[in-house]
Amino acid sequence: MKALKERILKDGKCLEGGILKVDSFINHQMDPVLMMEMAKELAERFKEAKIDKIVTIEASGIAPAVMVAYLMRCPLVFAKKKVPSTMEGILKSEVFSFTKSRSYTICMSDTYMSKGDRCLFIDDFLANGNAATGILDMAAQVGAEIVGMGFLIEKAFQRGGELLRGKGIHIESLAIIESLDNCEIKLKE
Ligand code: 5GP
């Protein structure tokens, strides 16, 4: 997506260890106009997929996901990173965080993801696919189907894209980073 790629080149910053910082328009301060344009593009790419529900993980996935959910006229449910004492029917999965270099538990109530639901997973980044794998695990626990996954930014030099496409999942990414070597952002055309 042209507008996102241009913005990444203009405002994105490379950090050590293959991390792209997009805090000025996605991860801390947000640009709602660009966010809505990105959501429209994702909704368009999945319009034939007969989606019942959008799924994401707090916190950074929520903004794009709620806009996609609004456009596709379906509910959004987000996995939480702390188990609330009031939650019933808890689904859990372990996720290794690439940016924080540690594992954490994600959880969701089975009230909001059920057998037969056709779900679309939306997240800001695809790196090694750990967050996505955690969501696939929780969906499998209740018999829901993750029919597609949409990411704002995919880092092609990490293994998530290959892993998830290898499972036959419909993956869409709005900008693909080929390399961040020498702190230079190289985008796929
Ligand atoms: P994965 O689970 O695919 O390994 O990593 C995806 C998650 O880690 C995303 O939800 C995102 O929050 C975070 N992440 C991975 N790589 C980056 C990155 O380069 N920049 C930022 N800001 N977040 C990242």
Side-chain angles (χ1 to χ4, degrees):
M1 183 186 163
K2 191 165 174 279
L4 173 60
K5 289 181 184 173
E6 286 173 358
R7 191 65 178 268
I8 291 170
L9 292 176
K10 180 170 160 274
D11 292 330
K13 307 255 181 301
C14 291
L15 300 186
E16 287 296 313
I19 294 177
L20 178 68
K21 192 169 169 178
V22 287
D23 273 30
S24 64
F25 59 104
I26 292 177
N27 287 137
H28 192 11
Q29 174 172 265
M30 292 185 195
D31 177 340
V33 176
L34 178 63
M35 197 66 91
M36 183 53 89
E37 289 310 308
M38 295 191 287
K40 281 183 187 162
E41 181 66 33
L42 287 172
E44 175 66 24
R45 293 189 194 189
F46 288 103
K47 70 177 180 205
E48 309 293 349
K50 298 192 177 71
I51 299 298
D52 301 313
K53 187 161 281 189
I54 308 297
V55 180
T56 191
I57 300 182
E58 68 177 355
S60 52
I62 294 178
V66 75
M67 289 186 175
V68 173
Y70 174 81
L71 294 165
M72 296 184 90
R73 295 291 187 266
C74 54
L76 158 70
V77 58
F78 61 93
K80 299 191 176 208
K81 289 180 177 165
K82 279 202 181 110
V83 184
S85 57
T86 52
M87 190 181 272
E88 290 168 350
I90 302 171
L91 306 168
K92 284 185 187 168
S93 193
E94 281 296 302
V95 170
F96 182 80
S97 166
F98 168 72
T99 46
K100 298 194 176 83
S101 294
R102 64 171 173 85
S103 288
Y104 60 95
T105 304
I106 55 169
C107 68
M108 185 187 286
S109 166
D110 65 5
T111 315
Y112 303 121
M113 191 158 64
S114 328
K115 190 172 172 58
D117 276 348
R118 292 177 58 82
C119 304
L120 172 62
F121 176 63
I122 297 288
D123 206 0
D124 57 345
F125 274 88
L126 172 59
N128 287 316
N130 293 316
T133 302
I135 291 293
L136 284 172
D137 177 29
M138 288 203 296
Q141 291 172 38
V142 289
E145 194 183 349
I146 304 293
V147 292
M149 297 189 172
F151 301 94
L152 306 182
I153 302 172
E154 173 176 344
K155 294 188 291 178
F157 56 88
Q158 291 179 276
R159 55 189 261 283
E162 200 183 328
L163 179 94
L164 298 170
R165 288 184 182 93
K167 292 180 192 283
I169 302 167
H170 176 184
I171 307 291
E172 294 284 349
S173 304
L174 301 182
I176 300 182
I177 311 285
E178 288 206 315
S179 144
L180 294 174
D181 291 350
N182 306 315
C183 272
E184 190 194 335
I185 303 172
K186 279 204 186 118
L187 287 166
K188 192 172 168 194
E189 282 308 309

